Amino acid sequence: MDIKTLKEITKLMKDNDLVEVEIESDQLKVRLKKACAAVTQVVAALPAAPAAVAAPAAAAAPAAAPAPAGDDPSWKKVISPIPGTAYLKPNPDAQNFVGVGTQVDENKVVCLVEAMKVFNEIKPEAGIRGQIKKVCVTDGQPVEYGTVLFLVG
Amino acid sequence: MDIKTLKEITKLMKDNDLVEVEIESDQLKVRLKKACAAVTQVVAALPAAPAAVAAPAAAAAPAAAPAPAGDDPSWKKVISPIPGTAYLKPNPDAQNFVGVGTQVDENKVVCLVEAMKVFNEIKPEAGIRGQIKKVCVTDGQPVEYGTVLFLVG
Amino acid sequence: MFKRLLIANRGEIALRIIKTCRRMGIETCVVHSTVDRDSLPVKMADVSICIGPGPAKQSYLNINNIIAAAELADVDAIHPGFGFLSENSHFAQVVRDCKIAFVGPTSAAMEALGNKAKAKTLAHAAGVPTVPGSTGPVASPEDALKVAHEIGYPVLIKATAGGGGRGMRVAHNDASLVSGLMQAQREAEAAFGNADCIIEAFVQRARHIEIQIIGDTHGNVVALGDRDCSTQRRHQKLVEESPSPVITPAIRTSMMEAAVKLAKAAKYHNAGTVEFIYDLERQAYYFLEMNTRIQVEHPVTEMCTDTDLIRLQIEVEAGAKLPFSQADIKPYGHAIEIRVNAEDWQNNFSPCPGKIGVYAAPSGKGIRVDSHCYAGYAIPPNYDSMIAKLIVHGKDRADAIRLLEQALAEYLIEGPKTTIGFHQRLLKDPKFLANQITTKYIDEEFFKLKPA
Amino acid sequence: MFKRLLIANRGEIALRIIKTCRRMGIETCVVHSTVDRDSLPVKMADVSICIGPGPAKQSYLNINNIIAAAELADVDAIHPGFGFLSENSHFAQVVRDCKIAFVGPTSAAMEALGNKAKAKTLAHAAGVPTVPGSTGPVASPEDALKVAHEIGYPVLIKATAGGGGRGMRVAHNDASLVSGLMQAQREAEAAFGNADCIIEAFVQRARHIEIQIIGDTHGNVVALGDRDCSTQRRHQKLVEESPSPVITPAIRTSMMEAAVKLAKAAKYHNAGTVEFIYDLERQAYYFLEMNTRIQVEHPVTEMCTDTDLIRLQIEVEAGAKLPFSQADIKPYGHAIEIRVNAEDWQNNFSPCPGKIGVYAAPSGKGIRVDSHCYAGYAIPPNYDSMIAKLIVHGKDRADAIRLLEQALAEYLIEGPKTTIGFHQRLLKDPKFLANQITTKYIDEEFFKLKPA
């Protein structure tokens, strides 16, 4: 691994708010850790729902959580613009709007987020186009502003 | 991995606020870790003398201050074992006990620290022997426990 | 009582509401922007929901997302705090239309009292003193003289079409009134195409004194004493104290009665503050405006009356009757609140957002600190610069000032510049200590004096 | 008054002393070990001097280096705080020999009262009740019976050569006393080669109640009320309150008089605490020991009497007369102090040193937090595990408990485990609430009960 690659990784960390990166291959193991880890770790150590398991919001994934290992940092995020309940299909009997591999762009409805009895059609932001690489929510899951719904690459 | 690469990595750490970098390969394992950045910076931001310039202790250099650039990290420190006033010579008209280049060991008096009218003879700790590389205090300077008096290499 | 309450606010007041809810056994849901993710209210609430990015317009003012969050969290009440949507009657209506209790007055009362001109008319009708003057434009110099003789000099000649200080002049006697009026009319005609001028009492030396009221939904309204907020900079309150050290008990009682009268006239319930301007020369008070929400300085009243205003707000909204009558309210001691802001007070109070290093707040008998800050907390640049409200309660004003001096000396904040130094200098200012300041003092005199 | 005072201590009490010195206009110099370099007292003192590495023996107990620091900083007084050298009469003497004022009693008074046996003799001579019993070893069963009939059952048979619970047995009537004495003498002879046994009243159900006193150098001594510290675990105080909820006003007055009598007999000045054991069955108190220094729980007394004990300590040491007489002391309300320690209370209270993440202490009327901790502070493993003392002051005990519950619910400490949970459970314990506990309650019963 050369300095150029390391620089790219640190830029990646900066851009994506990562505090720690660990890369391990047969030949090499690299671990990068950013300052301010203390507070971030404290936050991460908090249960996602500090109380009231019954609260619907409790299940909402904290948007700031680092992307799980295996995700390509170059993938673009499709986030929820509103708190509500995410639905992956237009009605219970229908097929999902999209799945891993579906080609999407800013005109493609990828899911619904229901809030105040209104089903909001969610489309990728302008400029995001590519294949769905990952579906990050389950059907019927409560989401908040910023919750990552899909990764597109 | 050569020094140039290491230097580049440390620059990278500095520029990107990294506190820990670990690189491991078949041939090599490198781990760089920065001091507890947050707290250290806060302390460094404090004025050396929080108040009362007249207070003799105010002038005492904080022992925890990082060694200024240029010092070889392998040099051993001779520290003051007691708060008091450091004197570099046995009496005002005399020569200094030691200077840069003087060969010292645990039997050599390097300075006096006066406390409670008692002039304590300071000798390097057992195991420290070599040449005085740096005189870190001035004659008559107040010192506290841990203040670095000399660097020996 | 409510089961779960959503707080449509952030920072210190969000935390303040959470604390009272905990005491009441009400679960809390706090909404927050992305930049407030690590804030203390988010950590302390039972549930937190992100409603948008940093800019308030897209988060704390985003009615749509807040209502969506309220539905998602299944709350039965919303507390708006102060600022943001707290005086937005449309928001209050939307909340109530969703069958969620809004902790605040009705939209109608908010509109009636939130608009300055409407409120003044209502106050006048209810017999609450407003700034005396001509009922409309004066027809002639004789008319103007008649009004001036009624209300006494100095008077203000004000072009009805003017504003922001333009088309205003002061007259101190008959001669300057007659010539001033003619000049003012000429100027107004030229500048605004409308020569109409009114005559009003000119308050040369003013104190800002306000009355805290609380009403229930059964028609009861009680005044909880006064607060003097005359230490202001560019109309921003810097210090609030209770009781006002410049008015007599009789005037205080009269102001409290006036405030209750106004609230009853508007069928007002929940917490509110009736602001008055107090004319030090005429020793008279005039209605200024009403704030239809809880205020930043409410702890001053809480300290002197042993009440929890947030609790009362929630209780009356749930339908409870006020637990006291006017006769039960006997404020005691002297309370002062100062605002510790992340501002460079020696450089025009310019905001200094940023990360707090070491943070140690004072504590002790008679000392209260309302703050959402902690060591390591980064004050975001998106919102106000308040670090904490420091409130003290002593036997009398001298005792409270002594406590405040101690508390300020103990307050340790590393990182951003703060207004602690300003307050320390203020507490040594002879005019502040002797209650000789007016609302213009900080702007016009304080910084010209050499510190003692 | 002193110009500059050196604090030979660390942590919360060092900060507490700095705060009072600031109020008094006295400069402070704090000594510290290398591990306390980033501590709040070091940041807040005017001058700080490092006196040695982490282990207390080489720093906070290093008399030589502390005196050297005092000379270097040119101080005219030393406050020892509590713990460390605070009850070391040799240290007090060295300080005074250096012409530096020692904020505490004379070495002679410290020695007379610091030694348990000497203190008991002195108390007895001064007419202060001590645990009743035989004046020496009992010669015969008849002697033992006579003593027992005088003091009443139950009695304790105690081998004079025994200790630590060995060679002790309880007798509840004549028969068990006679047989018990014989057995005890036989066992003592076998175990220690000395059959001597004494007979003492056995206090089955005890409360620990202490009297705070303060004396000046002019012979005046005043008692500042009592503190009940019966909630203990392995003789460590967990909760302290004032006034004691189990004694009558008459007994309290009698205890206060006894404490003053003892202090005067020892020519004691400065702050001190006279500890008594209170026998719930006999409704009588007995002198236990005296602490010749300020105590951890002194804020409890400060809250009820509106005093600053650290200030009084410094003032009397500077030669001032006490600013009040016994008649002026009228404690009011009810205060409770609990200790928030970095300990895993569910795992034998094992210490949990380490770094504090988020830290937000409660604040409000009647709430006081004495703490040196802050977010980001790493509690070093070298010293005690105290994070904070949380003190509340309410109208009465119920009010204080309510305040304490609120304050505990608001206390946010991330990082080390704390004893907050223990106190929350204690505040729900029916026996604690009903004042039915003894000093053995936590050790013997509390943890066997299911939490409510």
Side-chain angles (χ1 to χ4, degrees), chain C residues 19-20 22-23 38 40 43-44 302-306 311 332 357-370 373-376 393 395 402-403 406-412 414, chain D residues 19-20 22-23 38 40 43-44 302-306 311 332 357-370 373-376 393 395 402-403 406-412 414:
Chain C
K19 286 183 177 185
T20 284
R22 282 198 175 201
R23 292 174 188 190
D38 288 334
L40 214 43
K43 288 177 198 293
M44 224 150 167
E302 293 182 330
M303 296 291 264
C304 290
T305 55
D306 278 337
R311 179 181 205 121
Y332 67 99
V358 164
Y359 179 84
S363 176
K365 206 169 175 181
I367 296 173
R368 165 176 169 183
V369 178
D370 279 19
C373 288
Y374 55 90
H393 184 249
K395 283 193 286 288
R402 185 186 55 79
L403 266 174
Q406 293 173 4
L408 286 170
E410 282 170 25
Y411 219 135
L412 198 63
E414 288 177 4
Chain D
K19 286 182 177 185
T20 284
R22 283 196 173 201
R23 293 174 188 190
D38 289 332
L40 215 43
K43 288 178 198 293
M44 224 151 169
E302 292 182 331
M303 296 291 265
C304 290
T305 54
D306 278 338
R311 179 181 204 120
Y332 68 99
V358 165
Y359 179 84
S363 177
K365 208 168 174 181
I367 296 173
R368 166 176 168 182
V369 178
D370 280 18
C373 288
Y374 55 89
H393 184 248
K395 283 193 287 287
R402 186 187 54 79
L403 267 174
Q406 292 173 3
L408 285 170
E410 283 172 24
Y411 219 134
L412 198 63
E414 287 177 3

Side-chain angles (χ1 to χ4, degrees), chain D residues 184-422:
Chain D
Q185 287 173 328
R186 247 196 329 267
E187 283 171 17
E189 176 69 48
F192 318 116
N194 178 349
D196 285 354
C197 285
I198 60 167
I199 306 292
E200 231 181 51
F202 174 61
V203 182
Q204 210 158 5
R205 300 186 58 242
R207 300 280 289 201
H208 172 116
I209 302 177
E210 59 191 30
I211 302 292
Q212 174 72 52
I213 60 117
I214 178 97
D216 61 25
T217 53
H218 308 277
N220 304 302
V221 180
V222 167
L224 295 165
D226 67 310
R227 293 188 293 257
D228 190 323
C229 318
S230 301
T231 308
Q232 308 184 342
R233 181 183 164 273
R234 301 190 182 169
H235 300 288
Q236 293 294 306
K237 297 169 183 171
L238 297 169
V239 177
E240 300 101 4
E241 56 186 303
S242 178
S244 167
V246 302
I247 58 172
T248 62
I251 289 180
R252 178 171 300 111
T253 304
S254 166
M255 287 174 88
M256 284 166 66
E257 285 166 0
V260 169
K261 223 172 352 182
L262 177 63
K264 285 193 174 171
K267 297 197 194 316
Y268 191 89
H269 84 285
N270 215 298
T273 300
V274 184
E275 297 194 333
F276 295 99
I277 183 169
Y278 180 74
D279 187 328
L280 286 161
E281 309 298 339
R282 291 184 178 85
Q283 300 195 20
Y285 63 87
Y286 312 122
F287 171 72
L288 206 59
E289 64 172 316
M290 177 147 180
N291 291 324
T292 59
R293 50 164 169 87
I294 194 75
Q295 274 186 310
V296 175
E297 58 268 33
H298 75 275
V300 165
T301 299
E302 292 182 331
M303 296 291 265
C304 290
T305 54
D306 278 338
T307 51
D308 178 340
L309 282 166
I310 303 293
R311 179 181 204 120
L312 289 168
Q313 282 195 295
I314 295 171
E315 284 175 347
V316 297
E317 210 51 47
K321 284 193 178 177
L322 284 180
F324 42 65
S325 68
Q326 189 63 58
D328 298 321
I329 302 302
K330 297 188 179 71
Y332 68 99
H334 193 97
I336 307 181
E337 172 182 300
I338 62 107
R339 305 190 194 186
V340 178
N341 291 338
E343 289 170 3
D344 183 359
W345 67 278
Q346 286 165 313
N347 183 18
N348 243 337
F349 288 79
S350 55
C352 296
K355 192 160 182 161
I356 296 177
V358 165
Y359 179 84
S363 177
K365 208 168 174 181
I367 296 173
R368 166 176 168 182
V369 178
D370 280 18
S371 174
H372 60 297
C373 288
Y374 55 89
Y377 175 66
I379 302 163
N382 311 61
Y383 316 108
D384 67 86
S385 57
M386 186 152 76
I387 292 176
K389 303 190 303 205
L390 169 58
I391 310 111
V392 296
H393 184 248
K395 283 193 287 287
D396 49 34
R397 190 170 193 257
D399 193 38
I401 285 173
R402 186 187 54 79
L403 267 174
L404 192 52
E405 272 179 336
Q406 292 173 3
L408 285 170
E410 283 172 24
Y411 219 134
L412 198 63
I413 303 173
E414 287 177 3
K417 294 191 175 179
T418 76
T419 50
I420 286 176
F422 165 79

Side-chain angles (χ1 to χ4, degrees), chain A residues 97-104 108 130-132:
Chain A
F97 289 103
V98 296
V100 172
T102 310
Q103 194 71 26
V104 298
K108 173 74 179 167
Q131 275 189 350
I132 295 283

Side-chain angles (χ1 to χ4, degrees), chain C residues 28 37-38 75 92 122 161 163 174-175 241 296 306 309 330 347 371 406:
Chain C
T28 50
R37 205 175 280 287
D38 288 334
V75 303
L122 191 65
D174 288 1
E241 55 187 305
V296 175
D306 278 337
L309 281 166
K330 296 188 180 71
N347 183 17
S371 174
Q406 293 173 4

